[in-house]
Amino acid sequence: MLSKKTQYAFHALVHLAENMDKGPILISEIAQEKNISIKFLENILLELKNAGILGSKKGKGGGYYLLRPPKEIALAKIIRLLDGPIALLPCVSLNYYERCENCRDEAVCGLNEVMSKVRDSALKILENKTLKDILTRNS
Amino acid sequence: MLSKKTQYAFHALVHLAENMDKGPILISEIAQEKNISIKFLENILLELKNAGILGSKKGKGGGYYLLRPPKEIALAKIIRLLDGPIALLPCVSLNYYERCENCRDEAVCGLNEVMSKVRDSALKILENKTLKDILTRNS
DNA sequence: TTATTAGTCTATCTTTTTTATAGGATTTAT
DNA sequence: ATAAATCCTATAAAAAAGATAGACTAATAA
């Protein structure tokens, strides 16, 4: 399951996308709108900023905003950033690969094969669906 | 990612499947063979037994054994038993459904829609692939 | 230039989950 | 009887997730 962190990130990004025309949006506004602890959300938005997904402005009139159009922000990117691997096993992760301990030979490991397929089928969706696809109203 | 518990369960089940002809197999044998803490494995095998996947026999000559042929044990069943939901969000889980808190209307929720697709694509594989598919040698 | 506003950064705390261990109870074969 | 094995429950230890705190920096406006 996705962590709260990732779920909150999606909600926040949706709010930012739906209010792109209004300039920088306050953390506090998003927190209130989406029922998220403001301090927790602060950390999440910072991470998104440091990853180059959001921009920010300090001081009065400041806040957060999307750096790219929603249709260019793939869901997979957000999940990987905040939750880590999408794959079900470390040995089939593309971005967070780790060797299996209890596995003699990955090339012949049946689990490895099946889980690679699961990963691919998930990525096919998550790499192609974007923020735009999860908005309620169109923008 | 799948928990160690589930990963160990797969390894143990594979060992049991590959040694079906040898009668009940000792926990200690599996633990040694697969490098799993024996006490931890004990709990896992017990859960598998209580779920009707394994049978057991106590006392001398005892141990664990599969109750059904490997091809009848779907990977999804093992994952759900030991790890819980396969879905990425509670609101799209078939077996562990929970309503989203921060969600106004599931029917129009874009995330819900995408994550349902991810779930379906994963289940299509995990419900159909079985223990037989992850064995190294044929049996 | 000062006060205010709002994000930045890092540390810490709390809670939950995961992983692992302990040890007595029970069953079975010999 | 006794030895061998699983059964069962409790608990401990470690890691991860979730949440909070507070001092710091930058931007704006008066």
Side-chain angles (χ1 to χ4, degrees):
Chain A
M1 301 263 280
L2 298 179
S3 66
K4 291 273 181 198
K5 217 167 162 184
T6 301
Q7 294 181 45
Y8 291 160
F10 280 134
H11 286 120
L13 288 167
V14 164
H15 186 81
L16 289 174
E18 287 175 350
N19 294 279
M20 279 190 87
D21 48 332
K22 299 189 189 132
I25 306 290
L26 295 180
I27 299 177
S28 55
E29 177 186 321
I30 305 174
Q32 187 164 32
E33 190 70 23
K34 302 291 185 179
N35 274 295
I36 307 173
S37 146
I38 185 171
K39 272 299 193 177
F40 195 26
L41 181 58
E42 210 178 282
N43 295 328
I44 296 169
L45 295 178
L46 231 203
E47 276 197 78
L48 290 168
K49 188 208 155 177
N50 291 334
I53 292 159
L54 296 182
S56 68
K57 202 184 159 194
K58 287 184 179 178
K60 182 150 197 177
Y64 279 99
Y65 49 89
L66 293 178
L67 284 178
R68 311 176 143 283
K71 72 167 183 173
E72 289 179 20
I73 303 173
L75 302 186
K77 181 157 191 175
I78 308 301
I79 295 177
R80 286 200 177 108
L81 178 64
L82 298 168
D83 249 33
I86 288 169
L88 291 179
L89 293 178
C91 67
V92 301
S93 171
L94 297 176
N95 291 260
Y96 299 84
Y97 173 83
E98 273 176 59
R99 208 175 160 289
C100 292
E101 301 152 27
N102 307 333
C103 177
R104 299 200 198 296
D105 182 2
E106 265 176 35
V108 225
C109 174
L111 247 193
N112 187 290
E113 196 189 330
V114 172
M115 294 306 171
S116 294
K117 285 188 178 142
V118 173
R119 177 204 61 202
D120 288 340
S121 76
L123 284 184
K124 194 173 170 186
I125 298 169
L126 295 173
E127 297 271 32
N128 290 302
K129 292 289 183 180
T130 68
L131 193 46
K132 181 163 192 290
D133 296 303
I134 63 171
L135 302 182
T136 9
R137 28 164 164 152
N138 296 336
S139 62
Chain B
M1 302 266 278
L2 298 178
S3 66
K4 290 276 181 194
K5 215 167 162 183
T6 301
Q7 294 181 45
Y8 291 160
F10 281 134
H11 285 120
L13 288 167
V14 164
H15 187 82
L16 289 174
E18 287 175 349
N19 294 278
M20 279 190 87
D21 48 333
K22 300 191 187 134
I25 307 289
L26 294 182
I27 299 177
S28 56
E29 177 186 322
I30 305 174
Q32 187 164 29
E33 190 69 22
K34 302 291 185 178
N35 273 297
I36 307 172
S37 143
I38 185 169
K39 271 301 193 176
F40 196 27
L41 182 59
E42 205 179 289
N43 294 328
I44 296 168
L45 295 178
L46 194 53
E47 274 197 78
L48 289 168
K49 188 210 156 174
N50 291 334
I53 291 159
L54 296 181
S56 68
K57 201 185 160 194
K58 286 185 179 177
K60 181 151 197 176
Y64 279 98
Y65 49 89
L66 294 177
L67 284 178
R68 312 175 141 283
K71 70 167 183 175
E72 289 179 19
I73 302 174
L75 302 186
K77 181 157 191 178
I78 308 300
I79 296 176
R80 286 201 177 107
L81 179 64
L82 298 169
D83 250 34
I86 288 169
L88 291 179
L89 293 178
C91 67
V92 301
S93 171
L94 298 175
N95 291 260
Y96 297 86
Y97 173 83
E98 273 177 60
R99 211 175 157 288
C100 291
E101 301 152 25
N102 306 334
C103 179
R104 301 199 196 297
D105 182 1
E106 265 175 37
V108 228
C109 175
L111 248 194
N112 187 290
E113 197 189 329
V114 173
M115 294 306 171
S116 294
K117 284 187 179 142
V118 174
R119 177 204 63 204
D120 288 340
S121 76
L123 285 184
K124 193 172 169 187
I125 298 169
L126 295 172
E127 298 271 32
N128 290 302
K129 292 289 181 180
T130 67
L131 192 45
K132 181 163 191 295
D133 296 302
I134 63 172
L135 301 182
T136 8
R137 28 165 165 153
N138 295 337
S139 60

